[in-house]
Amino acid sequence: MKVTITDIAIAAGVAKSTVSKVLNDSPKISQETKQKVREIMKQMNYTPSSIATGLARQSSSNIGLLIDMSKSSEFLNQFFYNIIGGIESVIGSLKYELTIANVEHNHPDGHFLHRLVRSKKVDGLIANTSVLTEELCTRLNHLEFPYVSLGEVAASGCWVDFDNEAGGRMLTRHLLEEGYSAVAFIGGYEGDPLFIRRLEGCRQVLGQAGKPLRKEWIINGEAEEAFGYQAAKQLLLSETPPDSVICMSNFAAYGVLLAARELGVKVPTQLGIATFDDYPLSRYTSPPLTSLNLDTFHLGVSAGKLLMERIGGKNEALQKLLLAPELLPRESSCRHSRT
Amino acid sequence: MKVTITDIAIAAGVAKSTVSKVLNDSPKISQETKQKVREIMKQMNYTPSSIATGLARQSSSNIGLLIDMSKSSEFLNQFFYNIIGGIESVIGSLKYELTIANVEHNHPDGHFLHRLVRSKKVDGLIANTSVLTEELCTRLNHLEFPYVSLGEVAASGCWVDFDNEAGGRMLTRHLLEEGYSAVAFIGGYEGDPLFIRRLEGCRQVLGQAGKPLRKEWIINGEAEEAFGYQAAKQLLLSETPPDSVICMSNFAAYGVLLAARELGVKVPTQLGIATFDDYPLSRYTSPPLTSLNLDTFHLGVSAGKLLMERIGGKNEALQKLLLAPELLPRESSCRHSRT
DNA sequence: TTGTAAGCGTTATCAC
DNA sequence: GTGATAACGCTTACAA
């Protein structure tokens, strides 16, 4: 039923190795032979077995994308499709396939290390920081196994990330340009690098403008609707309410919007709102939210490229990459009419 | 550097075949031998090569999920993460991995047929109807290759889908119960099975209630914001405006909301709105949208199970599966206060 | 240029 | 219970 390289060899009256060379378009095979063999392959409807090829070549032509579905990491969840698309667009044309693996299954420790890495199911790995702990990075480094992290990673790892500091600057600068001066920051946990970077950007711009960020205007917490709502109420009802807020997520910003509506605080006149992420709500709230768009497809592309370079042996390839975000000004923070 | 089954055999002083049997926990190996060999494997940090195993077993332990990124099929795009999670949760515990392949790359014809199927990169396939054309189904059938379609498929294929007809009924019944009686239907194209099913459900309930659906209240088109907006305006400004509308998507419903706001039509008092899909906007619009939630994780689970059964040889396994949607009543269609 | 033969790392079929 | 040995389907020196 199934036709193998041997069948082709026999049918064409040549040796297996010759067929193999034709398969790989070796320059040391005559055109005539190539023609003939290819003809036969077509006739017999032959497709080489990727597994056998893999064994012989010691490569799976697969790269793995690790996710942890147990932590509903909003980030991946939302942008998954785009990231995958980005990765696929670069590895696909290199004849690689993308394998998605859920780390949750991998019981104790780094079980995926066995299941995927050591068993050679994949030739390289992409994962976001929530799964790629520092310890794992060092272990992968030790195995000399190629990987790229989605998100900045401390160790001597290779990563791509968005420039969160620049993002903080962009959002803050925008608010100042729109005439706001008392900027609050809502969402994120103190230890979280994402929070730290973003806030730092914010702090820089405010500092330069001579309007230092006040401690009581930084509210830490899970960047969800309920939290945003609470945080906004707290801020707006305080003795020194800010006139604008930067949110760590769409959902937190939505919560702020609800609180403002409830308290009769007009957006954007009395309160300006700007948020990280453009997806999924920014366009659809009332008023629509000024937001920072992250090109996640591009993130996937970058991660894919980096990884393929490493697999290709360029170990000296670029190690770290920061992608610029894009500001999308919308009604929630624009007091001046825009042309 | 790398340790193979042979190394283990030598170190343990047994034959390769014995090690292999230990690996597969064969009952015909003594406990002592097993202990000993396993001990050695641990010491030498051995992990079997999945590729070699694959070659010997003639299986890749991979199942493929086909997507077509060129068509921004909203469905997959939005629910991708959940579907993948669902599939993974069933195949993962069976030691299978999930391979994502973008069909777009696959130049002419069904190139993925070679790249994935014939080359044995995957043992089975899951794809939604937009890529699994009827022709492809018959070809896969002919190859006796296991696959499951996400979405109803005409041919003698195996598929899982949501019960769209029931969905149409649920939404319509809800509107009637809330006291609406003139129901319009917005979005979807005439030939689209999704549209046909959903409208049919709607028609059934209206028919039973003696309030037949009027032709001029069915507006066909791409279920996007702009279209929903236009359609709603057209309906609301007509001589016989409906008092409620069912939308094919969140985005279309959002457009309707905008139109109503602009025309000063109160929702839900003067116009009831209910929509298919709960994600991503329903909860966050003002007012929040009554919607039909589709458990896409479960869809993935079902597809995975079905596929694994077929791979397992149960060719007589269940062929078609309809999943029930869930109604989430919200403010956009609830005139009566709810307890 | 083409052919021969030895891998690649498992599993599977028999003997013993 | 355990051990040779032949697959599995392709690549790759090394010969010819």
Side-chain angles (χ1 to χ4, degrees):
Chain A
M1 192 62 234
K2 75 180 53 163
V3 23
T4 75
I5 201 175
T6 313
D7 301 319
I8 302 296
I10 294 174
V14 300
K16 271 167 52 177
S17 57
T18 304
V19 179
S20 174
K21 279 165 196 145
V22 173
L23 239 25
N24 298 290
D25 202 19
S26 160
K28 28 179 60 178
I29 295 288
S30 71
Q31 285 306 318
E32 311 147 47
T33 311
K34 282 188 184 172
Q35 290 300 323
K36 184 178 61 179
V37 173
R38 288 197 176 118
E39 183 59 30
I40 305 260
M41 298 198 299
K42 208 147 282 175
Q43 278 175 28
M44 302 185 64
N45 202 0
Y46 168 71
T47 308
S49 152
S50 63
I51 306 185
T53 308
L55 219 213
R57 290 222 186 105
Q58 296 285 73
S59 128
S60 64
S61 291
N62 258 141
I63 88 104
L65 176 58
L66 261 34
I67 55 183
D68 183 351
M69 301 246 175
S70 63
K71 307 176 190 166
S72 67
S73 71
E74 273 304 333
F75 180 74
L76 259 185
N77 187 316
Q78 286 177 53
F79 301 119
F80 204 48
Y81 191 79
N82 288 329
I83 292 179
I84 288 193
I87 298 176
E88 222 287 335
S89 76
V90 359
I91 71 168
S93 47
L94 265 43
K95 306 253 179 212
Y96 269 71
E97 238 64 55
L98 215 208
T99 292
I100 307 291
N102 187 355
V103 175
E104 197 185 355
H105 277 295
N106 303 322
H107 321 292
D109 199 357
H111 189 14
F112 80 88
L113 258 186
H114 285 81
R115 183 161 151 181
L116 253 42
V117 175
R118 310 201 33 136
S119 75
K120 298 283 179 203
K121 270 218 117 166
V122 300
D123 297 349
L125 232 37
I126 296 178
N128 82 333
T129 33
S130 81
V131 0
L132 224 42
T133 63
E134 195 154 344
E135 186 224 344
L136 274 170
C137 286
T138 50
R139 287 176 72 171
L140 289 172
N141 285 338
H142 189 255
L143 288 170
E144 297 188 36
F145 192 84
Y147 68 91
V148 172
S149 167
L150 297 173
E152 184 176 346
V153 92
S156 59
C158 173
W159 52 263
V160 296
D161 200 353
F162 291 106
D163 192 337
N164 284 294
E165 213 174 285
R169 286 195 297 266
M170 291 164 78
L171 250 20
T172 311
R173 199 172 291 131
H174 164 79
L175 288 175
L176 295 185
E177 283 171 7
E178 289 294 328
Y180 299 99
S181 60
V183 181
F185 196 102
I186 287 182
Y189 292 104
E190 268 188 79
D192 181 8
L194 203 61
F195 167 76
I196 295 173
R197 294 274 186 230
R198 290 174 169 184
L199 184 67
E200 173 57 25
C202 179
R203 196 189 302 274
Q204 285 171 12
V205 170
L206 288 176
Q208 283 169 17
K211 304 176 177 162
L213 185 56
R214 300 170 66 145
K215 244 191 214 123
E216 63 272 32
W217 286 349
I218 304 174
I219 318 274
N220 288 107
E222 185 70 31
E224 283 301 336
E225 173 187 342
F227 169 76
Y229 174 83
Q230 291 299 341
K233 276 211 161 173
Q234 178 183 331
L235 284 171
L236 293 173
L237 296 174
S238 72
E239 298 187 357
T240 54
D243 64 6
S244 54
V245 348
I246 293 178
C247 298
M248 281 289 283
S249 82
N250 271 212
F251 301 99
Y254 179 76
V256 173
L257 228 34
L258 287 189
R261 192 179 301 162
E262 196 176 307
L263 297 175
V265 173
K266 302 273 182 258
V267 175
T269 349
Q270 301 172 293
L271 180 73
I273 306 180
T275 179
F276 284 89
D277 296 348
D278 185 49
Y279 190 83
L281 303 180
S282 295
R283 273 189 58 201
Y284 300 101
T285 53
S286 33
L289 296 164
T290 288
S291 67
L292 208 65
N293 186 38
L294 306 179
D295 187 344
T296 44
F297 184 90
H298 189 197
L299 184 73
V301 168
S302 304
K305 279 187 181 162
L306 231 55
L307 183 59
M308 294 314 288
E309 281 176 9
R310 316 210 110 212
I311 290 179
K314 296 191 195 171
N315 240 316
E316 305 316 327
L318 187 51
Q319 296 270 336
K320 304 148 197 319
L321 191 61
L322 280 178
L323 270 35
E326 172 197 19
L327 181 72
L328 299 178
R330 293 209 187 85
E331 204 183 322
S332 73
S333 69
C334 294
R335 302 205 267 208
H336 316 318
S337 69
R338 308 211 137 223
T339 45
Chain B
M1 191 64 236
K2 75 178 55 164
V3 23
T4 76
I5 201 174
T6 312
D7 302 318
I8 302 295
I10 294 173
V14 299
K16 273 167 52 176
S17 53
T18 304
V19 179
S20 174
K21 279 164 197 146
V22 173
L23 239 25
N24 299 289
D25 201 19
S26 159
K28 28 178 60 178
I29 295 287
S30 70
Q31 285 306 320
E32 313 147 45
T33 312
K34 281 188 185 173
Q35 290 300 324
K36 184 178 62 180
V37 173
R38 287 196 177 120
E39 184 58 30
I40 306 259
M41 297 199 299
K42 208 147 283 176
Q43 279 175 27
M44 303 185 65
N45 203 1
Y46 167 71
T47 308
S49 153
S50 62
I51 306 185
T53 308
L55 217 213
R57 288 224 186 102
Q58 296 286 73
S59 127
S60 65
S61 291
N62 258 141
I63 88 104
L65 175 59
L66 262 33
I67 54 183
D68 184 351
M69 300 248 176
S70 65
K71 307 176 190 168
S72 67
S73 71
E74 273 304 332
F75 180 73
L76 257 186
N77 185 317
Q78 285 177 53
F79 301 118
F80 203 49
Y81 193 78
N82 288 329
I83 292 179
I84 288 192
I87 298 176
E88 221 286 334
S89 76
V90 358
I91 71 168
S93 48
L94 266 41
K95 307 254 179 210
Y96 269 70
E97 238 64 55
L98 216 209
T99 293
I100 308 291
N102 187 355
V103 175
E104 196 187 354
H105 276 296
N106 302 323
H107 319 293
D109 198 358
H111 189 16
F112 80 88
L113 258 187
H114 285 80
R115 183 160 149 183
L116 253 41
V117 175
R118 309 200 35 130
S119 76
K120 299 281 179 202
K121 270 218 118 167
V122 299
D123 297 349
L125 233 38
I126 296 178
N128 81 334
T129 32
S130 82
V131 0
L132 223 42
T133 63
E134 195 154 346
E135 187 225 342
L136 273 170
C137 284
T138 51
R139 288 175 72 171
L140 289 172
N141 285 338
H142 190 254
L143 289 170
E144 297 188 36
F145 192 83
Y147 69 92
V148 172
S149 167
L150 297 173
E152 185 177 344
V153 92
S156 59
C158 174
W159 53 264
V160 296
D161 201 353
F162 291 106
D163 192 337
N164 285 294
E165 213 175 284
R169 286 196 295 266
M170 291 164 77
L171 252 20
T172 311
R173 199 172 292 131
H174 165 78
L175 288 175
L176 294 185
E177 283 170 7
E178 289 293 327
Y180 300 98
S181 60
V183 181
F185 196 103
I186 288 182
Y189 291 103
E190 268 188 79
D192 182 7
L194 204 61
F195 168 76
I196 295 173
R197 295 275 186 228
R198 290 174 169 186
L199 185 67
E200 173 56 25
C202 179
R203 196 189 302 273
Q204 283 171 13
V205 169
L206 288 176
Q208 282 168 17
K211 304 176 177 164
L213 185 58
R214 300 171 65 146
K215 246 195 212 114
E216 63 272 34
W217 285 348
I218 304 174
I219 317 275
N220 289 106
E222 185 71 31
E224 283 301 336
E225 173 188 340
F227 170 76
Y229 175 83
Q230 291 299 342
K233 277 213 159 172
Q234 178 183 330
L235 284 171
L236 293 173
L237 296 175
S238 73
E239 298 188 357
T240 55
D243 64 6
S244 55
V245 347
I246 293 178
C247 298
M248 282 288 283
S249 83
N250 271 212
F251 302 100
Y254 179 76
V256 173
L257 229 33
L258 287 188
R261 190 179 302 161
E262 195 175 309
L263 297 174
V265 173
K266 301 274 181 255
V267 176
T269 350
Q270 300 172 294
L271 181 73
I273 306 179
T275 179
F276 283 89
D277 296 350
D278 185 50
Y279 190 83
L281 303 181
S282 296
R283 273 189 58 200
Y284 301 99
T285 53
S286 32
L289 296 164
T290 289
S291 67
L292 208 64
N293 185 37
L294 306 179
D295 187 344
T296 44
F297 184 90
H298 189 195
L299 184 74
V301 168
S302 304
K305 279 187 182 164
L306 231 56
L307 183 59
M308 293 315 288
E309 281 176 10
R310 317 210 108 213
I311 290 179
K314 297 191 197 172
N315 240 315
E316 304 318 326
L318 187 53
Q319 297 270 334
K320 304 151 197 318
L321 191 60
L322 280 178
L323 270 34
E326 171 196 19
L327 181 71
L328 298 178
R330 292 208 188 85
E331 202 183 324
S332 75
S333 68
C334 294
R335 301 204 266 207
H336 315 317
S337 69
R338 307 209 140 225
T339 46

